[in-house]
Amino acid sequence: SLNERLGSVFKSLKGRGKLTEAHIEDGMKEVRMALLEADVHYRVVKQFVADVKARSLGREVMESLTPGQQVVKIVYEELTSLMGEASVPLDLSGPKPAVIMLVGLQGAGKTTTAGKLALYLRKAGKKPYLVPADVYRPAAIEQLQKLAGEIGVPVYPSESSSDPLDICLNAREDARKQGCDVLLVDTAGRLHVDETLMAELVRIREKMIPSDILLVADAMTGQDAVKMASAFDQDLGIGGIILTKTDGDARGGAALSIRSVTGRPVKFVGTGEKISALDLFHPDRMASRILGMGDTLSLIEKAQEMVDEKQAADLERKLRKNEFTLEDFRDQLLQVRKMGPIGDLLKMLPGVNEKALGKMNIDERELVRVEAIINSMTPEERRRHAIINGSRRKRIARGSGTRVQDVNQLLKNYTQTMKMVKKLNKGGLKGMRGMRGM
Ligand code: GDP
Ligand code: MG
């Protein structure tokens, strides 16, 4: 899947301490292939890869201490902007009841989505009213009436022998009388876009003056959904798109291309057959789902905010020269604490489960104690831990309100860390990067 393909590209980029232009070129080739395989429109892919590459070759990545992560962040940001940055609400402007027209091919999910939207609006405190205006498809009227009954929303008693426009006009009167504020019109579809269908929809549009016209399109049809959106937009003018069946769409090509090809936003996504299976479309959440990164991005951002890159570079230099003092040890602990409870931080990493965290026994109080102990040392003691003898240990324990055993334990941990650092330094700097920002 796209998610796995991109994941392996990122893994190889992140595995490198420094990125060269060639690494980025190779990575972008992979990203391009992955997107094309996910059925993203080729023009969108071309532009996307060009944008990501240009940014990746810029300073924000090349001078970064974590270039691989920066590239991931750029891909995430560009994916988000491709899909439109923020979610776009329904347009309910104008006189009441506001009219929403649902249009699209047969089987796309219009009738189901009309019911879902009615439930969504009612939960949002609106008074929706459903209008079955598909008089051609057998049982389409009953289908919507049944859905309306399930959620207790008023529905117009359409007859399949009536004219769809008459149904709409009469339904509007009824909705007004009942004090409803949104009219949801479920229109007819065809197997293909044709003139008769468009003419009927235009006729309804001209008399009903909808505040929003939403194209309902099946995400599983990939680029056909994109073509459909363009066609309906050209002939009818649409305000947005509802992508249905995203639960069965492993590729994501329609979601990624439709905004950029048609200029119209995806407003909702259908995520299942159940009447509650409708979500507002959030480009940023979709992007992180596509990248399969849980909340890794917010973690990266959080860490970046907190750990000044220069400070991280200083730390690395000290570690390299075995100059990592107790003072640095304390500063590093402070950094960790500034990022919030360690448990919370670790939970944001993909693949970390809460049970395992419990076993790791992360103790905030322990951190506070360590900090207090180091604060009670003299500057000389912090720089040269070897001078901390028995009487100094007693004084430090008293000063920090801890026990001598606690001071001993801390010094033991510190010397062990130093030993490890020395070993790492002998074996090259491999593994050192992981310590940055802890
Ligand atoms: P219409 O012809 O456009 O009115 O389409 P329908 O509303 O009758 O839906 C066609 C089929 O798609 C039905 O079996 C729906 O249950 C199904 N469907 C609609 N939306 C979704 C969705 O988001 N997820 C899934 N899995 N099925 C959906
Ligand atoms: Mg229908």
Side-chain angles (χ1 to χ4, degrees):
S1 72
L2 181 56
N3 170 333
E4 287 159 357
R5 294 275 314 247
L6 291 176
S8 73
V9 179
F10 294 152
K11 207 169 155 202
S12 86
L13 286 176
K14 279 197 284 195
R16 303 178 197 279
K18 246 191 157 44
L19 291 181
T20 64
E21 202 168 330
H23 293 146
I24 305 243
E25 290 278 356
D26 287 349
M28 290 308 118
K29 252 182 228 154
E30 291 286 318
V31 168
R32 185 174 165 274
M33 283 306 299
L35 290 172
L36 286 173
E37 265 174 37
D39 198 23
V40 179
H41 195 283
Y42 72 94
R43 260 193 294 142
V44 174
V45 174
K46 203 172 156 201
Q47 187 63 47
F48 180 81
V49 171
D51 290 347
V52 171
K53 195 151 99 186
R55 279 187 65 189
S56 298
L57 292 172
R59 287 180 48 193
E60 71 184 299
V61 170
M62 288 311 182
E63 291 179 13
S64 161
L65 289 162
T66 50
Q69 281 188 347
Q70 291 295 327
V71 174
V72 178
K73 188 161 163 270
I74 289 171
V75 171
Y76 164 79
E77 285 169 3
E78 294 292 328
L79 276 179
T80 304
S81 94
L82 192 60
M83 292 184 285
E85 304 290 353
S87 58
V88 181
L90 278 179
D91 187 348
L92 298 173
S93 59
K96 297 287 165 247
V99 177
I100 308 284
M101 263 174 91
L102 298 176
V103 301
L105 292 188
Q106 212 169 74
K110 290 177 299 302
T111 306
T112 313
T113 304
K116 289 178 177 182
L117 267 181
L119 179 63
Y120 171 87
L121 286 167
R122 213 199 38 212
K123 280 186 188 160
K126 301 280 178 200
K127 286 190 172 160
Y129 184 106
L130 284 162
V131 187
D134 179 358
V135 295
Y136 311 105
R137 193 177 191 179
I141 294 172
E142 291 76 30
Q143 187 190 351
L144 191 59
Q145 281 169 341
K146 188 161 166 283
L147 285 172
E150 280 169 28
I151 54 175
V153 163
V155 57
Y156 188 73
S158 308
E159 300 278 349
S160 57
S161 55
S162 310
D163 175 68
L165 178 56
D166 287 337
I167 291 176
C168 290
L169 291 168
N170 292 330
R172 176 155 60 190
E173 278 316 302
D174 192 38
R176 269 194 197 121
K177 275 186 210 138
Q178 295 200 37
C180 294
D181 48 18
V182 188
L183 205 67
L184 293 166
V185 182
D186 176 30
T187 66
R190 295 270 200 287
L191 289 174
H192 302 282
V193 182
D194 64 37
E195 282 176 30
T196 326
L197 170 67
M198 285 301 177
E200 177 178 308
L201 296 176
V202 168
R203 205 160 62 96
I204 296 176
R205 184 196 69 197
E206 278 171 358
K207 287 285 185 300
M208 298 300 289
I209 315 173
S211 55
D212 219 342
I213 301 180
L214 298 170
L215 172 79
V216 178
D218 180 342
M220 293 203 289
T221 64
Q223 288 312 300
D224 280 342
V226 179
K227 276 189 208 128
M228 233 14 80
S230 298
F232 275 85
D233 193 33
Q234 204 160 33
D235 292 353
L236 189 67
I238 61 174
I241 296 135
I242 298 184
L243 274 182
T244 61
K245 310 183 199 180
T246 58
D247 48 311
D249 171 40
R251 297 186 299 170
L256 282 169
S257 329
I258 216 160
R259 166 81 188 230
S260 139
V261 173
T262 66
R264 303 290 175 216
V266 176
K267 294 196 173 183
F268 291 91
V269 286
T271 57
E273 295 199 42
K274 274 201 274 177
I275 193 136
S276 57
L278 182 77
D279 290 338
L280 257 180
F281 182 68
H282 291 284
D284 51 347
R285 287 184 209 167
M286 186 60 124
S288 65
R289 208 184 315 156
I290 287 168
L291 297 180
M293 29 200 355
D295 280 326
T296 316
L297 287 151
S298 44
L299 180 65
I300 294 173
E301 267 159 23
K302 217 168 177 179
Q304 261 170 357
E305 262 171 43
M306 297 302 170
V307 183
D308 172 29
E309 299 227 327
K310 189 175 166 307
Q311 210 177 324
D314 281 349
L315 178 64
E316 180 174 316
R317 189 177 42 72
K318 283 177 177 165
L319 285 171
R320 209 183 272 147
K321 293 190 177 170
N322 298 326
E323 283 171 4
F324 186 68
T325 64
L326 276 162
E327 208 153 334
D328 298 321
F329 191 61
R330 180 198 56 194
D331 291 347
Q332 207 52 24
L333 286 173
L334 282 175
Q335 287 288 359
V336 172
R337 283 189 52 216
K338 259 203 276 175
M339 293 208 273
I342 302 185
D344 284 358
L345 205 65
L346 292 177
K347 263 185 247 160
M348 290 199 272
L349 290 168
V352 173
N353 77 36
E354 306 213 2
K355 259 198 196 141
L357 270 183
K359 284 200 204 103
M360 278 173 59
N361 193 20
I362 294 152
D363 191 347
E364 288 288 308
R365 281 166 311 178
E366 175 69 26
L367 276 185
V368 175
R369 193 156 53 218
V370 168
E371 206 189 317
I373 293 172
I374 298 178
N375 285 344
S376 289
M377 295 174 181
T378 65
E380 172 79 0
E381 286 166 347
R382 285 180 213 150
R383 274 193 302 276
R384 296 172 50 210
H385 70 279
I387 65 169
I388 308 178
N389 57 19
S391 64
R392 286 177 189 259
R393 287 176 198 222
K394 262 188 223 150
R395 193 206 76 238
I396 292 166
R398 249 198 331 272
S400 57
T402 60
R403 298 164 305 168
V404 176
Q405 296 101 288
D406 297 324
V407 179
N408 291 341
Q409 186 62 46
L410 164 68
L411 288 169
K412 202 171 138 203
N413 284 347
Y414 170 70
T415 45
Q416 266 169 2
T417 305
M418 287 308 292
K419 259 188 218 148
M420 200 182 72
V421 167
K422 274 185 192 143
K423 237 190 241 160
L424 282 171
N425 280 341
K426 273 196 203 124
L429 275 170
K430 248 174 52 188
M432 197 59 67
R433 305 218 162 245
M435 296 191 73
R436 231 195 248 118
M438 297 176 72

